[in-house]
Amino acid sequence: MYVDYYETSALVGIGRPGERVTLDHLHKAAWSVFTGTGKLEVPQDTPRPFVFSADPAPGRENVFLLVVRSAVEFPRAKRKMVNFEEGDTWQFGLHFKGLASRKVWSEAKQAFITRREFVPEDKIEPLIIQPTLSRHGLEVFNVSLIGPTYMKHKPKGYQKKLPPHWYATLEGVVSDPLLMANALTAGITHGKAYGFGMLTILTAPAQEKVA
Protein backbone atom coordinates (compact mmCIF):
# COMPACT_ATOMS: atom_id res chain seq x y z
CA MET A 1 0.00 0.00 0.00
CA TYR A 2 1.52 3.30 -1.12
CA VAL A 3 1.45 6.21 1.33
CA ASP A 4 2.07 9.84 0.35
CA TYR A 5 3.05 12.29 3.07
CA TYR A 6 4.94 15.55 3.62
CA GLU A 7 7.91 16.00 5.91
CA THR A 8 10.54 18.55 6.83
CA SER A 9 13.21 19.02 9.49
CA ALA A 10 14.52 22.17 11.14
CA LEU A 11 16.91 23.23 13.89
CA VAL A 12 14.96 25.42 16.29
CA GLY A 13 16.35 27.49 19.16
CA ILE A 14 13.98 27.52 22.13
CA GLY A 15 14.08 30.02 24.98
CA ARG A 16 17.06 31.80 26.47
CA PRO A 17 20.41 30.21 27.46
CA GLY A 18 19.95 28.39 30.75
CA GLU A 19 16.14 28.31 30.46
CA ARG A 20 14.56 24.93 31.07
CA VAL A 21 12.88 23.64 27.91
CA THR A 22 9.46 22.02 28.41
CA LEU A 23 7.09 19.89 26.35
CA ASP A 24 4.94 22.97 25.83
CA HIS A 25 7.94 24.75 24.26
CA LEU A 26 8.39 21.83 21.84
CA HIS A 27 4.68 21.86 20.97
CA LYS A 28 4.85 25.54 20.03
CA ALA A 29 8.11 25.03 18.11
CA ALA A 30 6.52 22.26 16.03
CA TRP A 31 3.64 24.59 15.12
CA SER A 32 6.15 27.25 14.05
CA VAL A 33 7.76 24.75 11.66
CA PHE A 34 4.41 23.53 10.32
CA THR A 35 3.00 27.02 9.69
CA GLY A 36 6.30 28.42 8.42
CA THR A 37 5.85 31.59 10.50
CA GLY A 38 8.67 31.01 12.96
CA LYS A 39 6.38 32.14 15.78
CA LEU A 40 6.41 29.98 18.90
CA GLU A 41 2.66 29.92 19.36
CA VAL A 42 -0.29 27.57 18.87
CA PRO A 43 -3.15 28.71 16.59
CA GLN A 44 -6.44 28.99 18.43
CA ASP A 45 -9.20 26.47 17.69
CA THR A 46 -7.09 24.69 15.07
CA PRO A 47 -6.81 20.89 15.11
CA ARG A 48 -3.19 19.68 14.95
CA PRO A 49 -2.71 18.17 11.44
CA PHE A 50 0.80 16.80 12.02
CA VAL A 51 3.04 14.65 14.19
CA PHE A 52 6.62 15.44 15.09
CA SER A 53 9.73 14.35 16.93
CA ALA A 54 12.24 16.54 18.76
CA ASP A 55 15.83 15.70 19.66
CA PRO A 56 18.44 17.96 21.31
CA ALA A 57 21.12 19.15 18.88
CA PRO A 58 24.49 17.86 20.15
CA GLY A 59 26.64 20.58 21.67
CA ARG A 60 24.03 23.34 21.24
CA GLU A 61 22.15 24.56 24.30
CA ASN A 62 18.37 24.74 23.91
CA VAL A 63 18.53 23.90 20.20
CA PHE A 64 16.41 21.00 18.97
CA LEU A 65 16.14 19.12 15.69
CA LEU A 66 12.44 18.91 14.88
CA VAL A 67 11.06 16.55 12.24
CA VAL A 68 7.47 17.39 11.30
CA ARG A 69 5.24 15.09 9.21
CA SER A 70 1.72 15.54 7.84
CA ALA A 71 -0.71 14.03 5.38
CA VAL A 72 -1.29 17.55 4.02
CA GLU A 73 1.17 19.87 2.29
CA PHE A 74 2.79 22.62 4.36
CA PRO A 75 5.58 25.22 3.83
CA ARG A 76 9.05 23.87 2.97
CA ALA A 77 7.94 20.26 3.34
CA LYS A 78 9.15 17.60 0.92
CA ARG A 79 6.67 15.14 -0.51
CA LYS A 80 7.62 11.53 0.27
CA MET A 81 6.17 8.11 -0.47
CA VAL A 82 6.55 4.63 1.01
CA ASN A 83 4.97 1.30 0.23
CA PHE A 84 3.81 -0.97 3.07
CA GLU A 85 3.30 -4.60 2.10
CA GLU A 86 2.15 -7.37 4.41
CA GLY A 87 5.11 -9.46 5.57
CA ASP A 88 7.76 -6.77 4.98
CA THR A 89 10.22 -6.01 7.78
CA TRP A 90 10.75 -2.39 8.82
CA GLN A 91 12.80 -0.67 11.49
CA PHE A 92 11.48 2.47 13.21
CA GLY A 93 12.48 4.88 15.94
CA LEU A 94 9.88 6.00 18.46
CA HIS A 95 9.72 8.54 21.30
CA PHE A 96 7.07 7.62 23.88
CA LYS A 97 6.03 8.11 27.49
CA GLY A 98 6.48 5.24 29.92
CA LEU A 99 2.78 5.17 30.77
CA ALA A 100 0.10 2.54 30.27
CA SER A 101 -3.65 2.74 30.80
CA ARG A 102 -5.71 0.28 32.79
CA LYS A 103 -9.28 0.11 34.03
CA VAL A 104 -9.79 0.44 37.79
CA TRP A 105 -12.95 0.49 39.88
CA SER A 106 -13.91 3.86 41.37
CA GLU A 107 -15.99 3.62 44.55
CA ALA A 108 -16.82 7.33 44.29
CA LYS A 109 -18.20 7.03 40.74
CA GLN A 110 -19.36 3.43 41.08
CA ALA A 111 -17.86 2.69 37.68
CA PHE A 112 -14.63 1.64 36.03
CA ILE A 113 -12.33 4.54 35.11
CA THR A 114 -9.15 4.71 33.04
CA ARG A 115 -5.96 5.42 34.94
CA ARG A 116 -2.50 5.98 33.45
CA GLU A 117 0.33 4.49 35.47
CA PHE A 118 4.12 4.49 35.19
CA VAL A 119 5.51 1.30 33.64
CA PRO A 120 8.84 -0.15 34.85
CA GLU A 121 11.51 -0.72 32.20
CA ASP A 122 11.18 -4.51 32.20
CA LYS A 123 7.44 -4.23 31.46
CA ILE A 124 7.63 -1.63 28.68
CA GLU A 125 7.85 -4.12 25.82
CA PRO A 126 4.88 -6.33 26.86
CA LEU A 127 2.67 -3.52 28.20
CA ILE A 128 3.39 -0.66 25.77
CA ILE A 129 5.46 -1.59 22.70
CA GLN A 130 3.96 -4.92 21.67
CA PRO A 131 0.23 -4.14 22.11
CA THR A 132 0.48 -0.59 20.73
CA LEU A 133 2.35 -1.50 17.56
CA SER A 134 0.18 -4.58 17.02
CA ARG A 135 -2.92 -2.37 17.06
CA HIS A 136 -1.28 -0.27 14.33
CA GLY A 137 -0.32 -3.12 12.02
CA LEU A 138 3.25 -3.99 13.06
CA GLU A 139 4.27 -7.17 14.88
CA VAL A 140 7.47 -6.22 16.71
CA PHE A 141 10.17 -8.84 17.30
CA ASN A 142 13.14 -6.70 18.33
CA VAL A 143 13.22 -3.71 20.73
CA SER A 144 16.10 -1.59 22.00
CA LEU A 145 15.43 1.09 24.64
CA ILE A 146 17.30 4.31 25.44
CA GLY A 147 16.41 6.38 28.51
CA PRO A 148 14.62 7.40 30.48
CA THR A 149 14.75 11.19 30.29
CA TYR A 150 12.44 13.69 31.98
CA MET A 151 10.92 17.01 30.93
CA LYS A 152 8.28 19.23 32.53
CA HIS A 153 5.02 19.80 30.71
CA LYS A 154 4.83 23.58 31.23
CA PRO A 155 7.34 26.23 32.37
CA LYS A 156 5.24 27.25 35.38
CA GLY A 157 3.45 25.20 37.98
CA TYR A 158 4.46 22.28 40.14
CA GLN A 159 4.43 18.81 38.68
CA LYS A 160 4.54 16.21 41.43
CA LYS A 161 6.17 13.41 39.47
CA LEU A 162 7.49 13.60 35.92
CA PRO A 163 6.65 10.65 33.67
CA PRO A 164 9.66 8.88 32.12
CA HIS A 165 10.31 9.52 28.43
CA TRP A 166 11.85 6.73 26.35
CA TYR A 167 13.27 6.26 22.86
CA ALA A 168 13.06 2.85 21.22
CA THR A 169 14.34 1.32 18.02
CA LEU A 170 11.77 -1.22 16.83
CA GLU A 171 12.02 -3.94 14.24
CA GLY A 172 8.86 -5.64 13.12
CA VAL A 173 6.82 -7.24 10.37
CA VAL A 174 3.87 -5.47 8.75
CA SER A 175 0.63 -7.32 9.50
CA ASP A 176 -1.82 -4.67 8.25
CA PRO A 177 -0.63 -2.15 5.60
CA LEU A 178 -3.71 0.07 6.02
CA LEU A 179 -3.17 0.47 9.76
CA MET A 180 0.53 1.16 9.17
CA ALA A 181 -0.30 3.81 6.59
CA ASN A 182 -2.49 5.63 9.09
CA ALA A 183 0.10 5.28 11.87
CA LEU A 184 2.79 6.88 9.71
CA THR A 185 0.92 10.19 9.39
CA ALA A 186 -1.30 10.14 12.50
CA GLY A 187 1.21 8.76 14.99
CA ILE A 188 0.66 6.34 17.85
CA THR A 189 0.76 6.39 21.69
CA HIS A 190 -0.18 9.08 24.17
CA GLY A 191 1.27 12.60 23.88
CA LYS A 192 1.44 13.12 20.11
CA ALA A 193 1.01 16.90 20.52
CA TYR A 194 4.27 17.01 22.46
CA GLY A 195 6.65 15.05 20.24
CA PHE A 196 5.72 11.47 21.11
CA GLY A 197 4.33 8.75 18.89
CA MET A 198 5.86 9.54 15.48
CA LEU A 199 7.33 6.49 13.75
CA THR A 200 10.69 7.54 12.32
CA ILE A 201 11.78 5.29 9.45
CA LEU A 202 15.25 3.92 10.18
CA THR A 203 15.48 0.98 7.77
CA ALA A 204 13.10 0.05 4.96
CA PRO A 205 12.88 -3.41 3.34
CA ALA A 206 15.69 -4.13 0.89
CA GLN A 207 13.40 -3.73 -2.10
CA GLU A 208 11.79 -0.52 -0.77
CA LYS A 209 13.28 2.95 -1.09
CA VAL A 210 11.73 5.94 0.66
CA ALA A 211 11.10 8.41 -2.14
Short mmCIF file of all heavy atoms in Angstrom, two decimals, residues 20 23 26 54-56 64 94-98 118 121 124 145-152 161-167 196:
data_model
loop_
_atom_site.label_atom_id
_atom_site.label_comp_id
_atom_site.label_asym_id
_atom_site.label_seq_id
_atom_site.Cartn_x
_atom_site.Cartn_y
_atom_site.Cartn_z
N ARG A 20 14.93 26.34 31.14
CA ARG A 20 14.56 24.93 31.07
C ARG A 20 13.49 24.73 30.00
O ARG A 20 12.41 25.30 30.07
CB ARG A 20 14.02 24.48 32.43
CG ARG A 20 13.79 22.98 32.52
CD ARG A 20 13.38 22.59 33.94
NE ARG A 20 13.28 21.16 34.09
CZ ARG A 20 12.95 20.56 35.22
NH1 ARG A 20 12.69 21.29 36.30
NH2 ARG A 20 12.87 19.24 35.30
N LEU A 23 7.88 20.48 27.44
CA LEU A 23 7.09 19.89 26.35
C LEU A 23 6.23 20.94 25.66
O LEU A 23 6.01 20.88 24.45
CB LEU A 23 6.22 18.77 26.89
CG LEU A 23 6.95 17.55 27.47
CD1 LEU A 23 5.94 16.56 28.05
CD2 LEU A 23 7.80 16.87 26.41
N LEU A 26 8.23 22.65 23.04
CA LEU A 26 8.39 21.83 21.84
C LEU A 26 7.12 21.83 21.00
O LEU A 26 7.18 21.86 19.77
CB LEU A 26 8.76 20.39 22.23
CG LEU A 26 10.08 20.22 22.98
CD1 LEU A 26 10.33 18.74 23.28
CD2 LEU A 26 11.26 20.79 22.20
N ALA A 54 11.30 15.48 18.38
CA ALA A 54 12.24 16.54 18.76
C ALA A 54 13.42 15.91 19.50
O ALA A 54 13.22 15.18 20.48
CB ALA A 54 11.54 17.57 19.63
N ASP A 55 14.63 16.21 19.03
CA ASP A 55 15.83 15.70 19.66
C ASP A 55 16.81 16.85 19.89
O ASP A 55 17.00 17.69 19.00
CB ASP A 55 16.50 14.64 18.78
CG ASP A 55 15.66 13.38 18.68
OD1 ASP A 55 15.66 12.60 19.64
OD2 ASP A 55 15.00 13.19 17.64
N PRO A 56 17.46 16.89 21.06
CA PRO A 56 18.44 17.96 21.31
C PRO A 56 19.58 17.91 20.29
O PRO A 56 20.08 16.83 19.95
CB PRO A 56 18.96 17.64 22.72
CG PRO A 56 17.92 16.76 23.33
CD PRO A 56 17.33 15.98 22.20
N PHE A 64 16.97 22.32 19.22
CA PHE A 64 16.41 21.00 18.97
C PHE A 64 16.23 20.77 17.47
O PHE A 64 15.91 21.71 16.73
CB PHE A 64 15.05 20.84 19.66
CG PHE A 64 15.14 20.67 21.14
CD1 PHE A 64 15.42 21.74 21.97
CD2 PHE A 64 14.96 19.42 21.71
CE1 PHE A 64 15.50 21.58 23.35
CE2 PHE A 64 15.04 19.25 23.09
CZ PHE A 64 15.31 20.34 23.91
N LEU A 94 11.10 5.52 17.84
CA LEU A 94 9.88 6.00 18.46
C LEU A 94 10.17 6.63 19.82
O LEU A 94 10.78 6.01 20.69
CB LEU A 94 8.90 4.83 18.67
CG LEU A 94 7.59 5.13 19.40
CD1 LEU A 94 6.69 6.02 18.54
CD2 LEU A 94 6.88 3.85 19.80
N HIS A 95 9.74 7.89 19.99
CA HIS A 95 9.72 8.54 21.30
C HIS A 95 8.37 8.27 21.94
O HIS A 95 7.33 8.44 21.29
CB HIS A 95 9.92 10.05 21.17
CG HIS A 95 11.30 10.47 20.76
ND1 HIS A 95 12.35 10.52 21.66
CD2 HIS A 95 11.81 10.84 19.56
CE1 HIS A 95 13.44 10.93 21.04
NE2 HIS A 95 13.14 11.12 19.76
N PHE A 96 8.35 7.88 23.22
CA PHE A 96 7.07 7.62 23.88
C PHE A 96 7.21 7.81 25.39
O PHE A 96 8.32 7.81 25.95
CB PHE A 96 6.57 6.20 23.58
CG PHE A 96 7.46 5.11 24.13
CD1 PHE A 96 7.17 4.49 25.33
CD2 PHE A 96 8.59 4.70 23.44
CE1 PHE A 96 7.99 3.50 25.84
CE2 PHE A 96 9.41 3.71 23.93
CZ PHE A 96 9.11 3.10 25.14
N LYS A 97 6.06 8.01 26.04
CA LYS A 97 6.03 8.11 27.49
C LYS A 97 5.90 6.72 28.10
O LYS A 97 5.18 5.87 27.56
CB LYS A 97 4.86 8.98 27.96
CG LYS A 97 5.00 10.46 27.63
CD LYS A 97 3.84 11.25 28.22
CE LYS A 97 3.99 12.73 27.95
NZ LYS A 97 2.90 13.52 28.58
N GLY A 98 6.55 6.53 29.23
CA GLY A 98 6.48 5.24 29.92
C GLY A 98 5.23 5.10 30.76
O GLY A 98 5.30 4.87 31.97
N PHE A 118 2.75 4.65 35.65
CA PHE A 118 4.12 4.49 35.19
C PHE A 118 4.43 3.00 35.02
O PHE A 118 4.01 2.16 35.81
CB PHE A 118 5.11 5.07 36.19
CG PHE A 118 5.00 6.58 36.35
CD1 PHE A 118 5.68 7.23 37.35
CD2 PHE A 118 4.22 7.33 35.49
CE1 PHE A 118 5.59 8.61 37.51
CE2 PHE A 118 4.12 8.70 35.62
CZ PHE A 118 4.80 9.34 36.64
N GLU A 121 10.80 -0.44 33.45
CA GLU A 121 11.51 -0.72 32.20
C GLU A 121 11.30 -2.16 31.72
O GLU A 121 11.11 -2.38 30.52
CB GLU A 121 13.00 -0.45 32.39
CG GLU A 121 13.82 -0.66 31.12
CD GLU A 121 15.28 -0.26 31.29
OE1 GLU A 121 15.64 0.27 32.36
OE2 GLU A 121 16.06 -0.46 30.33
N ILE A 124 7.96 -2.53 29.78
CA ILE A 124 7.63 -1.63 28.68
C ILE A 124 7.30 -2.39 27.39
O ILE A 124 6.31 -2.08 26.72
CB ILE A 124 8.79 -0.64 28.43
CG1 ILE A 124 8.79 0.43 29.53
CG2 ILE A 124 8.67 0.02 27.05
CD1 ILE A 124 9.92 1.40 29.43
N LEU A 145 15.87 -0.10 23.93
CA LEU A 145 15.43 1.09 24.64
C LEU A 145 16.59 2.00 25.01
O LEU A 145 17.67 1.52 25.37
CB LEU A 145 14.68 0.71 25.92
CG LEU A 145 13.32 0.03 25.78
CD1 LEU A 145 12.81 -0.41 27.15
CD2 LEU A 145 12.31 0.97 25.12
N ILE A 146 16.36 3.31 24.95
CA ILE A 146 17.30 4.31 25.44
C ILE A 146 16.53 5.24 26.38
O ILE A 146 15.47 5.75 26.03
CB ILE A 146 17.91 5.13 24.29
CG1 ILE A 146 18.71 4.23 23.35
CG2 ILE A 146 18.82 6.24 24.82
CD1 ILE A 146 19.23 4.94 22.11
N GLY A 147 17.08 5.49 27.56
CA GLY A 147 16.41 6.38 28.51
C GLY A 147 16.43 5.77 29.89
O GLY A 147 17.14 4.81 30.17
N PRO A 148 15.60 6.35 30.78
CA PRO A 148 14.62 7.40 30.48
C PRO A 148 15.21 8.80 30.63
O PRO A 148 16.26 8.99 31.23
CB PRO A 148 13.55 7.17 31.55
CG PRO A 148 14.34 6.68 32.73
CD PRO A 148 15.45 5.83 32.15
N THR A 149 14.49 9.79 30.05
CA THR A 149 14.75 11.19 30.29
C THR A 149 13.47 11.81 30.86
O THR A 149 12.42 11.18 30.84
CB THR A 149 15.16 11.93 29.00
OG1 THR A 149 14.09 11.80 28.04
CG2 THR A 149 16.43 11.34 28.40
N TYR A 150 13.59 13.04 31.35
CA TYR A 150 12.44 13.69 31.98
C TYR A 150 12.35 15.14 31.53
O TYR A 150 13.37 15.81 31.36
CB TYR A 150 12.55 13.63 33.51
CG TYR A 150 12.61 12.21 34.04
CD1 TYR A 150 13.82 11.54 34.15
CD2 TYR A 150 11.45 11.54 34.42
CE1 TYR A 150 13.88 10.23 34.63
CE2 TYR A 150 11.50 10.23 34.90
CZ TYR A 150 12.71 9.59 34.99
OH TYR A 150 12.77 8.31 35.46
N MET A 151 11.14 15.63 31.33
CA MET A 151 10.92 17.01 30.93
C MET A 151 9.56 17.48 31.46
O MET A 151 8.57 16.76 31.36
CB MET A 151 10.95 17.14 29.40
CG MET A 151 10.86 18.57 28.89
SD MET A 151 10.95 18.67 27.06
CE MET A 151 12.69 18.30 26.80
N LYS A 152 9.54 18.68 32.03
CA LYS A 152 8.28 19.23 32.53
C LYS A 152 7.33 19.51 31.38
O LYS A 152 7.75 19.73 30.25
CB LYS A 152 8.55 20.52 33.30
CG LYS A 152 9.15 20.33 34.68
CD LYS A 152 9.19 21.66 35.45
CE LYS A 152 7.79 22.13 35.81
NZ LYS A 152 7.81 23.37 36.63
N LYS A 161 5.26 14.45 39.94
CA LYS A 161 6.17 13.41 39.47
C LYS A 161 6.19 13.39 37.95
O LYS A 161 5.15 13.26 37.32
CB LYS A 161 5.74 12.04 40.01
CG LYS A 161 6.80 10.96 39.83
CD LYS A 161 6.42 9.69 40.56
CE LYS A 161 7.53 8.64 40.43
NZ LYS A 161 7.18 7.38 41.12
N LEU A 162 7.37 13.55 37.38
CA LEU A 162 7.49 13.60 35.92
C LEU A 162 7.47 12.20 35.35
O LEU A 162 8.18 11.31 35.83
CB LEU A 162 8.79 14.30 35.53
CG LEU A 162 8.96 15.74 35.99
CD1 LEU A 162 10.34 16.26 35.58
CD2 LEU A 162 7.87 16.63 35.42
N PRO A 163 6.66 11.97 34.31
CA PRO A 163 6.65 10.65 33.67
C PRO A 163 7.95 10.41 32.90
O PRO A 163 8.52 11.34 32.34
CB PRO A 163 5.45 10.72 32.72
CG PRO A 163 5.28 12.17 32.43
CD PRO A 163 5.70 12.90 33.68
N PRO A 164 8.43 9.18 32.87
CA PRO A 164 9.66 8.88 32.12
C PRO A 164 9.41 8.92 30.62
O PRO A 164 8.37 8.45 30.14
CB PRO A 164 10.03 7.47 32.58
CG PRO A 164 8.73 6.87 33.02
CD PRO A 164 7.90 7.99 33.57
N HIS A 165 10.36 9.48 29.89
CA HIS A 165 10.31 9.52 28.43
C HIS A 165 11.36 8.56 27.88
O HIS A 165 12.52 8.58 28.31
CB HIS A 165 10.58 10.94 27.92
CG HIS A 165 9.64 11.96 28.45
ND1 HIS A 165 9.91 13.31 28.44
CD2 HIS A 165 8.42 11.82 29.04
CE1 HIS A 165 8.91 13.97 28.99
NE2 HIS A 165 8.00 13.09 29.36
N TRP A 166 10.97 7.76 26.91
CA TRP A 166 11.85 6.73 26.35
C TRP A 166 11.98 6.91 24.85
O TRP A 166 11.09 7.46 24.19
CB TRP A 166 11.30 5.34 26.64
CG TRP A 166 11.29 4.96 28.07
CD1 TRP A 166 10.29 5.17 28.98
CD2 TRP A 166 12.33 4.28 28.80
NE1 TRP A 166 10.63 4.68 30.21
CE2 TRP A 166 11.88 4.13 30.13
CE3 TRP A 166 13.58 3.79 28.44
CZ2 TRP A 166 12.64 3.51 31.11
CZ3 TRP A 166 14.36 3.17 29.41
CH2 TRP A 166 13.88 3.04 30.73
N TYR A 167 13.10 6.39 24.32
CA TYR A 167 13.27 6.26 22.86
C TYR A 167 13.54 4.79 22.58
O TYR A 167 14.33 4.14 23.29
CB TYR A 167 14.43 7.11 22.35
CG TYR A 167 14.69 6.93 20.87
CD1 TYR A 167 13.88 7.57 19.93
CD2 TYR A 167 15.71 6.11 20.41
CE1 TYR A 167 14.09 7.41 18.58
CE2 TYR A 167 15.93 5.93 19.05
CZ TYR A 167 15.12 6.59 18.15
OH TYR A 167 15.34 6.41 16.79
N PHE A 196 5.70 12.93 20.92
CA PHE A 196 5.72 11.47 21.11
C PHE A 196 4.86 10.80 20.05
O PHE A 196 3.91 11.38 19.54
CB PHE A 196 5.19 11.12 22.51
CG PHE A 196 5.94 11.76 23.63
CD1 PHE A 196 5.42 12.86 24.29
CD2 PHE A 196 7.19 11.29 24.01
CE1 PHE A 196 6.11 13.48 25.32
CE2 PHE A 196 7.90 11.89 25.04
CZ PHE A 196 7.36 13.00 25.69
#
